[in-house]
Amino acid sequence: MMNKKPNSKAGFSLVEVLVATVISVFILGSSYATIISLAKGSESMINFTEMNTQTRTSLELFARDSRMCENVYEFTNNKISILRELWDSSTNSYTKRYVIYQFVPEAGTFTRSIHRASLVSGAYVPSTLIESETLLFDVEEMNLFYYRLVDPEIPNYDPIARTKLEVKHVQLEAKLKRTVLNLDNTNYILSARFMMRNKDVGE
């Protein structure tokens, strides 16, 4: 009588399969959480880098225009229109232009536009739009502040500029907020005051 060989092809038991499945689920869950965490960290760094680059470029441009300002046409807490000379490649000379900076709350943007300066009744006013660009996106809050020259000889001197002639310094403050992968990145702009070196002041 022949002896039967033991069955070498026996499979896993149901308990073993369930245990393996549970372990796999835990491993996959941990891996997913790690990947999401790494993705959020990467996006966060990209957001901060982009916002810092935008902020630095915008402030440099704003500072240069402010320092070269000859006159102020309009100034509010979210808009300023300044007259300055810009290079005109079509005439190979400097030409007076109005540069307008404006915060658009509903769009969350900060824009810069260049307009022709037309002479009307002996004064330059903004006219035709030449070009426009958006400097900052995802702007949640922004304010422009205006100051006049400080007179140390006058006690309790009010530094706040209330007329176009008084404006001599401008300061920009903003809060940028960007949300990616349910992660909020916030960047604050607390700029120094920029002096309008070419602008005459008066009372």
Side-chain angles (χ1 to χ4, degrees):
M1 184 175 179
M2 296 180 63
N3 293 327
K4 292 184 179 181
K5 293 182 178 180
N7 187 4
S8 60
K9 295 183 179 180
F12 294 105
S13 67
L14 179 60
V15 174
E16 291 173 329
V17 172
L18 290 176
V19 170
T21 302
V22 170
I23 293 174
S24 299
V25 168
F26 275 113
I27 293 174
L28 291 175
S30 300
S31 300
Y32 178 78
T34 301
I35 292 172
I36 292 298
S37 178
L38 290 173
K40 285 185 176 182
S42 176
E43 286 295 328
S44 178
M45 288 299 297
I46 293 172
N47 283 343
F48 275 120
T49 301
E50 288 181 351
M51 287 192 293
N52 285 334
T53 300
Q54 288 179 5
T55 298
R56 184 172 60 253
T57 302
S58 301
L59 283 181
E60 289 175 356
L61 194 57
F62 185 78
R64 185 164 65 247
D65 285 335
S66 298
R67 293 186 182 111
M68 297 302 294
C69 170
E70 299 177 14
N71 191 29
V72 174
Y73 180 76
E74 182 181 5
F75 68 107
T76 67
N77 66 334
N78 59 15
K79 181 180 180 180
I80 183 171
S81 177
I82 56 179
L83 179 69
R84 65 157 298 187
E85 289 190 342
L86 289 172
W87 180 257
D88 188 347
S89 57
S90 63
T91 61
N92 289 325
S93 62
Y94 282 96
T95 306
K96 292 186 183 298
R97 295 282 188 253
Y98 265 103
V99 182
I100 300 177
Y101 286 90
Q102 184 169 13
F103 168 48
V104 185
E106 56 271 18
T109 58
F110 184 53
T111 62
R112 176 182 185 261
S113 57
I114 301 175
H115 300 250
R116 299 186 187 280
S118 300
L119 195 58
V120 178
S121 301
Y124 286 100
V125 298
S127 59
T128 311
L129 173 67
I130 298 175
E131 62 179 88
S132 178
E133 61 180 325
T134 300
L135 301 178
L136 294 174
F137 299 90
D138 306 303
V139 183
E140 192 171 76
E141 300 174 14
M142 176 171 287
N143 285 288
L144 294 167
F145 303 93
Y146 307 93
Y147 303 91
R148 55 181 180 169
L149 286 175
V150 175
D151 190 342
E153 296 183 0
I154 301 178
N156 301 320
Y157 186 78
D158 183 8
I160 304 301
R162 307 190 186 283
T163 68
K164 291 186 288 187
L165 284 176
E166 291 180 341
V167 176
K168 188 63 175 179
H169 301 262
V170 59
Q171 179 172 326
L172 181 151
E173 294 184 3
K175 175 184 176 182
L176 282 67
K177 185 176 181 180
R178 183 176 298 178
T179 302
V180 178
L181 296 176
N182 296 322
L183 185 67
D184 292 336
N185 294 133
T186 304
N187 189 23
Y188 291 91
I189 301 176
L190 297 176
S191 71
R193 296 182 191 179
F194 301 111
M195 176 182 283
M196 300 175 177
R197 298 173 180 171
N198 295 343
K199 181 182 179 297
D200 293 330
V201 294
E203 298 299 331

